[in-house]
Amino acid sequence: MNKTLIGFNKIKTDYIAWENAVPHRVLVCAGTGCLVNGSMKVYEEFVKTIKEANLNVIVELKDEEGDVFVSKTGCQGFCQIGPLVTILPEGIFYTRVKPKDVKDIVETTIKKGDILHRLLYIEPNMLKVCKETSEIPFYQKQRRFVLGNCGMTDPEDIREYIARDGYVSAARACKDMSPEDICRTILASGIRGRGGGGFLTGKKWDMARQQPGDKKYIICNGDEGDPGAFMDMGIMEGNPHSIIEGMIIASRAIHADEGYIYVRAEYPLAVKRIRKAIKDAYTLGILGKRILSSDHTFNLQVMEGAGAFVCGEETALIASIEGKRGMPSPKPPFPSQSGLWGKPTVINNVETLSTIPLILSVGVNKFREMGTENSPGTKTFAITGHVLNTGLIEMPLGSTLRDMIYGVAGGITSDDGKPMADGFKAAQIGGPSGGCLTKEHLDLPIDFDSVKEAGAMVGSGGLVIMNKNTCIVSVARFFMQFTQSESCGKCVLCREGTKQMLVLLDDIIEGRATEETLKILEDLATAVQKGSLCGLGKTAPNPVLSTLNNFRDEYEAHVKYKYCPTGKCKALTKFTIDENLCKGCMLCAKKCPVNAITGERKQVHRIDPIICIRCGACIESCTFGAIKGEKL
Amino acid sequence: METLRKFEKVWEIIDQNGRDSSRLIPILQAVQAEYRYLPEEILTFIATSVGISPARVFGVATFYSLFTLKPKGKYHIRVCNGTACHVKRSMDLHNALQKKLNLRDEKDTTDDMLFTLETVNCLGACGLAPAMVVNEEVYGQLTPERANEIIDDIINAEAHNEQDTHRL
Amino acid sequence: MNENDFLIVDNKEIPIEGEQNLLELIRKAKIDLPTFCYHSELSVYGACRLCMVYVEGMGLVPACSTPPSPSMNVKTNTEDIRKMRKIIVELLLANHSQSCPTCQKSTTCQLQALARRLGITEIRFKNQSKNIPVDDSSPSIVRDPNKCVLCGDCVRICSEVQSVGAIDFAHRGANTMVIPSFGKDLDKVECVNCGQCARICPTGALTPKSEVDEVWKVIHDPNKMVVAQIAPAVRVALGEIFGMEPGVTTTGQTAAALRAIGFNRVFDTSFTADLTVIEESNEFIKRIQKNEFIPQFTSCCPAWVKFVEQYYPEFVHNLSSCRSPQQMFGALSKEILAAQTGKKREDIVVVSIMPCTAKKFEAKRPEFIHDGVRDVDHVITTQELGRMIEEAGLNFRELDPESFNLPFGFKTGAGVIFGNSGGVSEAVLRYVTEKLTGEKRESYEFTSTRGENGIREIKISLAGKEFSLATVSGLGNARQVLEKIKSGQAFYDFVEVMACPGGCVGGAGQPVFTNPVVRQKRTKGIYENDRMLELHKSQDNPYINELYTSFLGEVGGHKAHELLHTGYKSRKRIADEGMSLSSSDGEQTIEVNVCFGTGCFLKGAQKLLRDILVHIDTEQLGDKVSVSASFCFEMCEKGPVIRVGDKVIEGCTLEKAALAIEEERQKVLGDKTVNSMQ
């Protein structure tokens, strides 16, 4: 046994011994979601309260002296009901914990070992009280593999990562495996890039490995820009060492001695935790020269993004690291041939890299037991929108949309958050680059190939669920506006094409469109999809094309009959006052900016459709629900 | 000697980054952290120091949305308009704040330089949509009313500070 | 790749012969694939998407960035491709100023040509063009952002070929623009006016600034004597506007056209080029003898001169002090014609016809303005002359050839080859060889100065001494050479630089061209001109010799210096205010301004500034002194330079600065005391 492993073993045995000696551990979720809800105050309150209760509190595990060990963890995924607190060893899972609740928890649970029922999670569909995460459907139906340690460990403590067998895979890769071995293993695992395209990671590595030259780079793409997706943020905040370990393995596989983690600047906490993790890894000889007692050298640094979605595209990301405008360049040459500073470069997504050490530790066969033949493993998703439970989840690839929506997310809700049976309309998968899936796709296995066949893409894993009251044209417009404002402006099709698509969608929503408009929109979308320079441009029309494909009727209603079936497009709505409901309170008349509403006090009011500009202010003002939008 | 300190800081930043044009983005980030925006003359200075044309530095500074060439207000409000927040009507928050602060799309900073209002694509706080961030502080599950209250609190606190300084 | 490798383009086998991309190969198949952003001389950009082709097994790919490989099956006109091209052009047109008939680029605009070629009869998209102000601040180039298609050709030629980078992309997405830094006007930034951006611009977004109206005005003024001078490179390109082949000499028709338009005299800039050869060669011989300011740099090209002034102030004295042939002509002709005709200097109007946009800037340099009158009043480009000929309704091709006026219309071949890169060096060699050896030579050609390479080195042995010359075209190449000279990696006695690739024949004022073959034909035409003339060496020009005897006196003498030479100084790259570092709020403020230009920076301005600021702090002068940094006092060789009040201190140290501040303070105090006593 060599020096490093002896060192690691000591860290591990010490840590576990100390951990076992402390009777209680309190895990306070310190992911972005819970922090927003004030979990830091909860954490501080725990430290203070435990001290005041004359118990010996420790916040960093250094020896066996202590009664309660209080830790901050990464995101546990169920941000909606945060701040989340878990009490070990019982595994009691408290939700919506406020600082004022801390005293109760210390008195009841830590001191007496009793459960504080008012803080437990109540499953809203069955009204079942859940003591542990294993009883909660949101967690039950998931397979938390990559996210396994997220939320259960302190991401800022490298010793805890090592204690959970961290860096063992990296040490093995650096000492006992040849670069060919590593590439072969990763290829055999069948893992595909979790960032978007779903390219075989092993193949990507092997291509870079075979490139001549002694200078190569490995880059971790943490520029997670899809609005509504925060899977990578969860991993970067919750388990930063797993990314570093994945990068070490990748660097060994392709002979790279330098790496970058490119993190989106909007994630300050992720940047902070990764920087700390890198620093700690250097201290223990996990990064730097002759790492992990092998002859492999690997240096790693963080580069913060500066606010450009397009930098998620490989060549744009490289340009950004080189200090340039983040504009993509044509491929070929591919980064694996000529990337950063013209050297062979592998760019992998956060989740992919985080999965790598696990593949080496559980073995290829075990890994392939999860997921499907061509899409093995698990995938994280950020499920949001009109569902009961929103948050960060992880599923085996090949799970169905139904599993996710009705199993994990607890079903569809109405706009005001109430359960809505049979309310499902569509799911936008893959963010602004993805497409929409409908009812007929509910039992489609969600894997890279099936989703692509259905005209969408797994992408990085954003999953927005929409209920029946959602206007699909407006949804397409929202995504189009996003890609349009994030287009880098380099190639004509994306720059001008997305701008004109937005104009056409506005025409449809605002009642100026003709049937010709739909034809132009479709032609243009197809041209942008086929002809744009980079992945962002090529996928920008997907939301339009897939909604046109799946909800053509709804588009046609807007165009032919100037009618929005959901009533969401105000310009296509005629506002009327229900005579039976109007109390003549005059509020709407006051709110109307153009004085289109007339009527005496206590008399039914009327809206003059010629003056009305359909702003909807009256609907919002009416407390009796008397004003309705109707088909024009 | 506040300005000396700041200027020394610019030197320090450029030196720390090895006068290397590939370090342009970290240099700009650090300078913006110091000045809260990127003053034109400093950009020219950076260009000269790292040996690239000022037009290129300007090009980089205007490409990334986190860089700003205009001074921002003391309180930088960013309303999240990521998908989750958008679905939960985050634009209502934005519009309410615009109205409250008397701002428009073309005018994002108040005349007294107290507030700047912008939207941001995703803060990653999707579970708490709709969300907004004021400087470093994130607020979740907001309503237009609650957002207005947050602004009122800041305005009141500022007024108090003002009074205190006068009293001193 | 094998010799027999080929691929198929539209059902035809095309051999692969080392082409880097499909686009070159498709062109070889005689198919003109549309593109805005591909130029063999620039890096591959891949933005216009017009060159998309279908490759079996790969789908639609951009031809410009796809390397050819054997047995590829390429289709260039599938339905998808045709649809896409139309959509692209329609998208561009929908974002374009709709002023085509009145645009300077009308008929040579590639967007217009493509719209016609693709049969676009309607634009299905709504017009989104914004009305952005046009920047006509520069004397050379007009920038109209409303016509920009963002192909980036100008940005790349300015930085990649010229290493200037005066314009670049700014902002993002639909707001992207090509602009000078901070959106300043073009005349406020480091643009050297070479106009290569305007040459390569496919639309009317960057165009040479027209002076046609001013020229018509003086022609119509009966009190003015309007004199034309035609630069060498114009004669082999003007015909292109009228459908003639590039390189065909049109000297006779040009003279006839100018007279028909109303010019009173038609002269040849090649005459003063001959004069330049004599002055510049003698200056060179003197420098060699004194071993001073070697290498000597040519100074005929105003873009190159501004380049040196901006970026290499330490080399300004290496530039030949000779004025360019254009400026020699202006000064000389006004002087002599005024004496001959009795007209006032301001009533003799010199109009140059140049292949160049920088010449417009040169004519407006303050050094060449005397008593408010410019030596050269107007500079029009080859393109502008073409437009005047068209406006006058002249059938250019059919005009009976006429000759130039004497004496300034008589030249030798040495004066004509100035139009080519390498021409000045060759002309100087034709003179210097005879001058140094004292022998007449039968032959006159020095072909080693010729060629397509941007940097050519020539070694020559004369009168027992080895001489090393470099001829350079393109300012990026010039920068390379200068850096080598600076670092001692290279040594030259004489360096010729022309800013435009290939020299003046490739100037931005020439008829629009993008294919380098056009330029090569013009180059050939110039050398043919030389061969056709009776005389080839400037020293053999009888009118030049006559000019020295009767008017100028000695070569390099007093009169020659007054009319034919000038000086250069370092120049700020960007006009702007300094950066305030410490401002006092006291009533009587002493302004201290520290230069932070490149020269001073290298000479320790940073430490000096820091020392000064610390000094002010420790001496508690913070309320009396304001400190700012600015970017160039244009005295780089004497750096570090600071200014205290009105006083400029060269080679400044902290002691000198402290002393000056103290003196200034005493002065201010003195003023105060005087004031209070009153």
Side-chain angles (χ1 to χ4, degrees):
Chain A
M1 200 176 267
N2 63 63
K3 230 171 77 190
T4 317
L5 281 190
I6 295 169
F8 275 18
N9 278 339
K10 173 141 177 49
I11 290 173
K12 182 178 170 179
T13 44
D14 282 357
Y15 191 95
I16 290 170
W18 295 334
E19 190 183 26
N20 290 339
V22 181
H24 281 285
R25 184 171 186 184
V26 178
L27 298 169
V28 181
C29 178
T32 292
C34 284
L35 282 179
V36 171
N37 265 336
S39 70
M40 267 316 282
K41 292 203 180 91
V42 173
Y43 171 83
E44 282 156 15
E45 192 66 26
F46 263 111
V47 175
K48 201 178 109 205
T49 314
I50 294 167
K51 259 187 209 159
E52 284 167 5
N54 287 324
L55 291 170
N56 193 358
V57 61
I58 43 176
V59 291
E60 197 187 355
L61 210 53
K62 279 193 208 128
D63 48 35
E64 302 163 12
E65 306 273 310
D67 302 312
V68 188
F69 175 28
V70 186
S71 306
K72 288 171 275 189
T73 73
C75 180
Q76 304 180 0
F78 210 171
C79 314
Q80 197 184 345
I81 52 162
L84 304 173
V85 170
T86 308
I87 312 287
L88 296 179
E90 297 87 344
I92 302 165
F93 184 67
Y94 288 135
T95 63
R96 301 186 206 275
V97 180
K98 298 281 170 226
K100 63 178 166 52
D101 301 320
V102 169
K103 204 167 174 188
D104 261 4
I105 298 177
V106 173
E107 291 300 323
T108 316
T109 310
I110 293 178
K111 280 193 171 170
K112 297 184 195 145
D114 292 339
I115 291 169
L116 201 59
H117 288 273
R118 66 177 172 90
L119 292 176
L120 292 177
Y121 175 72
I122 300 164
E123 202 284 307
N125 285 328
M126 330 255 280
L127 297 175
K128 185 182 122 196
V129 181
C130 309
K131 190 188 128 225
E132 297 173 30
T133 53
S134 58
E135 296 169 11
I136 301 175
F138 178 79
Y139 288 105
Q140 266 175 351
K141 305 274 166 76
Q142 292 188 50
R143 173 73 176 86
R144 287 173 82 90
F145 178 63
V146 177
L147 296 176
N149 278 336
C150 270
M152 296 313 289
T153 58
D154 180 352
E156 297 193 19
D157 190 349
I158 191 170
R159 296 169 314 148
E160 181 161 13
Y161 185 72
I162 292 169
R164 316 280 177 237
D165 290 330
Y167 289 115
V168 169
S169 298
R172 222 179 96 209
C174 288
K175 284 182 305 216
D176 307 334
M177 292 174 84
S178 70
E180 291 89 333
D181 282 345
I182 303 172
C183 289
R184 213 177 298 130
T185 309
I186 298 304
L187 193 61
S189 78
I191 182 173
R192 297 166 70 167
R194 265 59 173 143
F199 193 77
L200 278 168
T201 306
K203 208 166 164 187
K204 203 175 194 175
W205 287 11
D206 209 40
M207 271 161 68
R209 181 184 68 79
Q210 288 173 27
Q211 289 291 321
D214 46 10
K215 187 75 195 174
K216 293 177 191 174
Y217 294 93
I218 163 96
I219 298 173
C220 168
N221 184 349
D223 192 49
E224 182 178 51
D226 288 12
F230 55 102
M231 297 75 58
D232 294 345
M233 180 184 87
I235 297 172
M236 289 188 281
E237 287 177 3
N239 200 359
H241 286 288
S242 65
I243 303 165
I244 298 174
E245 186 171 6
M247 288 184 81
I248 293 172
I249 297 166
S251 73
R252 166 76 178 153
I254 67 162
H255 304 284
D257 65 350
E258 217 180 320
Y260 287 86
I261 303 183
Y262 189 99
V263 191
R264 189 167 176 255
E266 286 86 343
Y267 291 168
L269 184 63
V271 172
K272 188 185 139 221
R273 292 208 174 134
I274 287 176
R275 282 195 200 282
K276 176 157 195 324
I278 289 177
K279 196 168 151 252
D280 292 345
Y282 268 106
T283 314
L284 291 183
I286 295 165
L287 288 172
K289 273 190 189 144
R290 304 182 61 81
I291 58 172
L292 298 155
S293 309
S294 73
D295 54 4
H296 184 56
T297 292
F298 185 56
N299 287 299
L300 185 57
Q301 54 179 308
V302 175
M303 163 94 191
E304 268 181 76
F309 172 71
V310 65
C311 287
E313 199 277 344
E314 297 186 323
T315 56
L317 190 149
I318 288 173
S320 184
I321 294 182
E322 290 176 351
K324 300 178 192 150
R325 291 164 61 84
M327 300 200 292
S329 35
K331 294 191 259 190
F334 292 94
S336 57
Q337 305 161 315
S338 170
L340 189 60
W341 315 118
K343 305 289 180 200
T345 303
V346 160
I347 302 179
N348 283 136
N349 150 277
V350 168
E351 187 182 342
T352 314
L353 286 165
S354 185
T355 313
I356 297 294
L358 295 174
I359 294 177
L360 291 195
S361 63
V362 304
V364 166
N365 292 337
K366 200 100 196 267
F367 178 74
R368 292 198 74 112
E369 280 170 17
M370 299 177 291
T372 67
E373 177 63 27
N374 289 322
S375 299
T378 59
K379 176 80 196 79
T380 58
F381 294 91
I383 189 163
T384 56
H386 298 128
V387 282
L388 206 51
N389 310 327
T390 63
L392 177 59
I393 65 171
E394 184 175 351
M395 306 290 287
L397 280 157
S399 308
T400 63
L401 207 52
R402 193 183 299 279
D403 293 339
M404 295 192 219
I405 297 173
Y406 296 98
V408 176
I412 304 295
T413 64
S414 62
D415 289 9
D416 52 12
K418 309 244 166 64
M420 187 180 185
D422 199 25
F424 177 69
K425 177 169 186 172
Q428 172 74 19
I429 183 165
S433 308
C436 85
L437 300 176
T438 64
K439 246 181 179 165
E440 61 179 282
H441 302 117
L442 272 174
D443 293 307
L444 180 85
I446 302 296
D447 63 56
F448 291 103
D449 305 313
S450 325
V451 174
K452 199 170 174 191
E453 256 168 59
M457 66 185 238
V458 172
S460 55
L463 193 56
V464 185
I465 313 299
M466 289 165 278
N467 67 17
K468 277 185 172 164
N469 297 333
T470 314
C471 169
I472 211 75
V473 186
S474 306
V475 169
R477 189 199 175 279
F478 169 75
F479 284 110
M480 190 46 65
Q481 154 142 41
F482 175 83
T483 33
Q484 194 266 329
S485 72
E486 289 297 334
S487 164
C488 81
K490 182 172 174 176
C491 84
V492 180
L493 281 168
C494 174
R495 179 186 69 235
E496 305 298 335
T498 55
K499 187 165 79 183
Q500 293 289 355
M501 277 194 267
L502 193 60
V503 170
L504 293 167
L505 287 167
D506 277 339
D507 282 352
I508 296 172
I509 286 171
E510 286 161 24
R512 291 184 296 267
T514 63
E515 281 176 62
E516 183 69 12
T517 311
L518 285 187
K519 164 115 185 46
I520 299 172
L521 180 64
E522 210 160 12
D523 282 354
L524 178 58
T526 311
V528 175
Q529 186 183 50
K530 286 185 180 166
S532 290
L533 170 60
C534 78
L536 167 64
K538 279 186 178 22
T539 55
N542 286 359
V544 170
L545 285 170
S546 71
T547 50
L548 260 175
N549 200 16
N550 290 314
F551 296 96
R552 198 162 188 107
D553 293 354
E554 201 168 325
Y555 275 91
E556 280 177 354
H558 282 75
V559 170
K560 278 190 199 161
Y561 312 111
K562 301 280 178 281
Y563 167 61
C564 172
T566 63
K568 289 286 163 73
C569 296
K570 284 172 183 160
L572 301 182
T573 314
K574 180 182 165 196
F575 290 96
T576 50
I577 299 177
D578 188 326
E579 289 178 21
N580 301 320
L581 294 172
C582 178
K583 305 272 186 246
C585 73
M586 298 185 78
L587 195 59
C588 57
K590 272 188 211 138
K591 286 275 174 181
C592 177
V594 291
N595 298 323
I597 305 178
T598 50
E600 297 295 314
R601 176 165 291 277
K602 308 239 165 138
Q603 300 290 312
V604 171
H605 284 45
R606 296 178 58 84
I607 300 175
D608 185 335
I610 295 168
I611 305 174
C612 173
I613 55 165
R614 304 183 185 102
C615 68
C618 51
I619 294 195
E620 278 157 36
S621 74
C622 182
T623 46
F624 310 104
I627 308 178
K628 286 187 182 68
E630 284 177 0
K631 183 173 165 180
L632 202 62
Chain B
M1 289 268 83
E2 176 70 359
T3 36
L4 169 62
R5 199 188 62 74
K6 280 195 170 167
F7 193 63
E8 292 258 326
K9 187 80 191 168
V10 175
W11 271 323
E12 205 183 298
I13 290 165
I14 294 171
D15 282 339
Q16 270 170 4
N17 286 286
R19 302 189 169 269
D20 179 355
S21 63
S22 71
R23 302 283 302 162
L24 182 58
I25 291 170
I27 290 172
L28 295 179
Q29 283 166 335
V31 168
Q32 180 158 306
E34 194 60 27
Y35 281 80
R36 309 204 56 216
Y37 76 109
L38 298 170
E40 184 178 313
E41 59 272 18
I42 301 242
L43 289 185
T44 313
F45 178 62
I46 293 170
T48 318
S49 308
V50 304
I52 48 178
S53 76
R56 184 137 292 181
V57 175
F58 181 67
V60 171
T62 53
F63 184 85
Y64 297 97
S65 59
L66 291 187
F67 292 134
T68 167
L69 279 85
K70 281 182 297 180
K72 293 264 177 229
K74 185 173 174 188
Y75 296 91
H76 188 186
I77 309 164
R78 290 180 295 159
V79 176
C80 182
N81 195 29
T83 318
C85 289
H86 182 83
V87 171
K88 302 246 162 95
R89 307 189 67 89
S90 59
M91 283 319 277
D92 289 357
L93 293 184
H94 182 259
N95 296 344
L97 291 177
Q98 244 185 6
K99 205 166 148 196
K100 178 168 183 71
L101 297 169
N102 199 13
L103 296 173
R104 300 178 301 277
D105 285 349
E106 323 76 70
K107 179 181 176 346
D108 60 9
T109 300
T110 54
D111 290 330
D112 59 4
M113 296 298 292
L114 200 55
F115 295 101
T116 294
L117 177 66
E118 286 174 349
T119 57
V120 58
N121 281 334
C122 186
L123 295 168
C126 310
L128 302 163
M132 74 173 188
V133 54
V134 181
N135 293 346
E136 305 289 304
E137 188 90 1
V138 189
Y139 302 87
Q141 290 169 336
L142 288 171
T143 58
E145 293 71 33
R146 174 74 193 115
N148 278 340
E149 278 167 32
I150 292 167
I151 301 306
D152 280 332
D153 288 348
I154 294 173
I155 293 172
N156 290 336
E158 281 293 317
H160 269 286
N161 285 341
E162 192 90 327
Q163 274 176 8
D164 289 348
T165 6
H166 278 294
R167 228 172 280 149
L168 285 171
Chain C
M1 237 166 243
N2 292 321
E3 237 174 75
N4 300 326
D5 282 341
F6 66 87
L7 50 67
I8 296 163
V9 177
D10 291 337
N11 307 319
K12 209 170 124 188
E13 285 184 8
I14 307 291
I16 303 174
E17 294 160 317
E19 285 84 3
Q20 296 293 307
N21 55 59
L22 280 181
L23 194 119
E24 295 281 358
L25 212 112
I26 291 166
R27 282 185 178 169
K28 199 168 69 178
K30 308 280 185 291
I31 296 167
D32 181 14
L33 207 58
T35 171
F36 283 141
C37 67
Y38 177 78
H39 293 278
S40 52
E41 68 217 276
L42 302 175
S43 63
V44 173
Y45 190 58
C48 77
R49 316 312 286 168
L50 281 164
C51 72
M52 299 291 279
V53 292
Y54 176 81
V55 178
E56 214 174 79
M58 290 170 83
L60 288 180
V61 296
C64 66
S65 60
T66 306
S69 66
S71 65
M72 267 181 171
N73 188 0
V74 182
K75 303 258 183 225
T76 69
N77 278 306
T78 66
E79 193 185 350
D80 268 358
I81 293 171
R82 289 181 48 248
K83 262 188 174 172
M84 186 180 301
R85 279 184 201 147
K86 280 194 184 187
I87 283 182
I88 292 172
V89 173
E90 281 179 69
L91 285 171
L92 287 173
L93 287 170
N95 194 41
H96 201 85
S97 152
Q98 307 282 309
S99 59
C100 295
T102 52
C103 177
Q104 241 201 72
K105 272 274 177 67
S106 188
T107 73
T108 51
C109 169
Q110 288 173 45
L111 181 59
Q112 200 180 51
L114 208 53
R116 192 188 58 241
R117 234 179 85 181
L118 302 182
I120 289 168
T121 49
E122 60 154 353
I123 302 164
R124 285 171 287 175
F125 308 111
K126 277 192 193 161
N127 192 284
Q128 299 291 314
S129 65
K130 304 172 209 148
N131 208 354
I132 305 166
V134 172
D135 173 8
D136 63 353
S137 62
S138 155
S140 304
I141 296 153
V142 178
R143 196 175 60 82
D144 183 351
N146 305 298
K147 296 173 182 167
C148 180
V149 294
L150 297 169
C151 64
D153 295 345
C154 54
V155 171
R156 279 173 295 140
I157 204 156
C158 191
S159 66
E160 291 174 11
V161 175
Q162 301 297 57
S163 76
V164 171
I167 44 174
D168 211 322
F169 288 108
H171 307 292
R172 188 172 77 195
N175 299 321
T176 308
M177 281 177 87
V178 171
I179 43 173
S181 55
F182 311 106
K184 284 180 196 293
D185 286 344
L186 207 49
D187 70 333
K188 297 279 189 300
V189 298
E190 63 269 58
C191 169
V192 295
N193 304 299
C194 72
Q196 284 296 313
C197 55
R199 175 179 75 77
I200 209 156
C201 177
T203 69
L206 287 158
T207 47
K209 190 170 191 171
S210 171
E211 288 178 59
V212 166
D213 289 344
E214 290 90 329
V215 173
W216 278 118
K217 202 170 152 206
V218 291
I219 283 174
H220 295 324
D221 185 339
N223 295 323
K224 306 280 187 199
M225 177 180 178
V226 187
V227 174
Q229 57 161 323
I230 302 172
V234 175
R235 66 204 63 194
V236 289
L238 181 61
E240 293 165 31
I241 297 172
F242 305 97
M244 296 159 82
E245 270 295 297
V248 172
T249 304
T250 56
T251 325
Q253 289 97 321
T254 311
L258 286 167
R259 288 207 183 88
I261 284 168
F263 283 87
N264 302 98
R265 296 279 196 286
V266 181
F267 294 128
D268 197 337
T269 315
S270 301
F271 174 81
T272 36
D274 274 337
L275 194 57
T276 307
V277 172
I278 298 196
E279 289 292 326
E280 191 161 344
S281 301
N282 280 288
E283 184 186 14
F284 176 60
I285 292 169
K286 252 187 227 160
R287 286 194 191 185
I288 291 286
Q289 284 162 352
K290 287 196 194 165
N291 195 19
E292 216 177 48
F293 301 121
I294 300 292
Q296 175 167 314
F297 296 152
T298 59
S299 61
C300 314
C301 171
W304 155 242
V305 168
K306 189 171 185 246
F307 184 84
V308 175
E309 290 179 321
Q310 281 175 182
Y311 297 108
Y312 293 93
E314 64 272 37
F315 282 122
V316 284
H317 299 300
N318 292 68
L319 286 166
S320 160
S321 68
C322 287
R323 296 182 188 184
S324 71
Q326 160 172 285
Q327 294 307 131
M328 281 193 185
F329 182 93
L332 201 63
S333 63
K334 283 210 172 171
E335 187 88 6
I336 290 176
L337 289 173
Q340 277 179 0
T341 60
K343 277 190 170 285
K344 281 189 277 179
R345 232 179 124 249
E346 57 264 41
D347 287 331
I348 297 168
V349 180
V350 174
V351 176
S352 330
I353 297 131
M354 292 282 145
C356 177
T357 51
K359 287 286 168 189
K360 290 173 183 274
F361 163 79
E362 185 184 54
K364 292 193 168 87
R365 283 181 71 120
E367 297 92 323
F368 305 132
I369 301 174
H370 299 99
D371 306 322
V373 180
R374 294 200 286 255
D375 291 345
V376 174
D377 299 272
H378 298 293
V379 179
I380 58 170
T381 60
T382 316
Q383 289 177 25
E384 287 166 78
L385 177 60
R387 243 171 279 140
M388 287 183 80
I389 294 171
E390 283 181 331
E391 188 178 351
L394 300 172
N395 188 346
F396 185 76
R397 297 178 70 154
E398 306 296 321
L399 289 178
D400 290 328
E402 293 179 18
S403 64
F404 288 131
N405 291 89
L406 289 173
F408 308 140
F410 192 90
K411 69 276 177 178
T412 71
V416 176
I417 55 173
F418 262 57
N420 284 341
S421 168
V424 180
S425 306
E426 185 170 351
V428 166
L429 283 175
R430 290 180 190 180
Y431 180 88
V432 174
T433 42
E434 292 193 355
K435 180 88 178 176
L436 285 182
T437 58
E439 289 162 20
K440 275 266 164 211
R441 294 169 75 242
E442 263 310 300
S443 64
Y444 60 90
E445 290 192 335
F446 288 86
T447 46
S448 54
T449 60
R450 305 180 183 185
E452 272 289 297
N453 270 346
I455 302 175
R456 303 188 292 281
E457 297 185 345
I458 303 117
K459 298 248 186 281
I460 199 158
S461 180
L462 283 178
K465 192 182 176 327
E466 288 286 328
F467 287 92
S468 175
L469 286 76
T471 65
V472 183
S473 74
L475 293 172
N477 292 329
R479 192 184 282 277
Q480 269 185 40
V481 168
L482 285 171
E483 289 299 329
K484 275 192 181 163
I485 295 172
K486 258 172 91 167
S487 66
Q489 274 176 282
F491 175 84
Y492 304 106
D493 297 290
F494 186 91
V495 178
E496 173 205 303
V497 179
M498 297 189 188
C500 295
C504 308
V505 284
Q510 298 280 59
V512 173
F513 74 101
T514 46
N515 190 345
V517 173
V518 171
R519 198 191 65 223
Q520 287 155 13
K521 286 186 178 167
R522 292 175 189 162
T523 303
K524 205 165 152 249
I526 290 273
Y527 286 125
E528 275 164 13
N529 254 280
D530 176 28
R531 244 169 275 142
M532 295 290 288
L533 286 168
E534 294 80 5
L535 301 171
H536 308 285
K537 299 168 189 163
S538 303
Q539 61 271 34
D540 296 343
N541 186 333
Y543 290 91
I544 294 279
N545 293 328
E546 164 66 18
L547 186 69
Y548 275 108
T549 344
S550 65
F551 181 72
L552 285 171
E554 221 180 317
V555 174
H558 176 71
K559 192 86 185 167
H561 253 275
E562 192 185 306
L563 291 173
L564 311 180
H565 290 259
T566 184
Y568 308 98
K569 58 184 173 84
S570 53
R571 178 190 284 271
K572 257 188 196 184
R573 282 181 227 174
I574 293 193
D576 59 8
E577 294 301 309
M579 161 166 57
S580 174
L581 299 168
S582 144
S583 51
S584 95
D585 42 13
E587 282 171 37
Q588 299 279 348
T589 299
I590 302 167
E591 298 283 345
V592 177
N593 204 305
V594 181
C595 175
F596 244 74
T598 317
C600 290
F601 189 79
L602 295 172
K603 292 191 169 90
Q606 177 170 333
K607 186 177 179 308
L608 177 67
L609 177 54
R610 187 175 297 172
D611 290 347
I612 292 172
L613 288 168
V614 171
H615 171 77
I616 290 167
D617 200 27
T618 49
E619 298 295 312
Q620 300 187 332
L621 297 169
D623 58 340
K624 302 179 187 72
V625 183
S626 287
V627 184
S628 62
S630 64
F631 287 100
C632 198
F633 289 176
E634 307 175 11
M635 285 184 277
C636 306
E637 68 276 23
K638 292 164 187 156
V641 183
I642 75 164
R643 188 164 51 211
V644 179
D646 302 330
K647 199 174 157 196
V648 174
I649 305 156
E650 297 162 354
C652 190
T653 58
L654 176 61
E655 289 70 36
K656 284 190 193 177
L659 189 69
I661 292 169
E662 187 53 29
E663 279 172 13
E664 192 68 18
R665 205 158 75 90
Q666 293 303 332
K667 210 173 97 194
V668 172
L669 278 176
D671 290 351
K672 238 189 192 164
T673 336
V674 173
N675 284 339
S676 60
M677 269 165 34
Q678 284 166 348

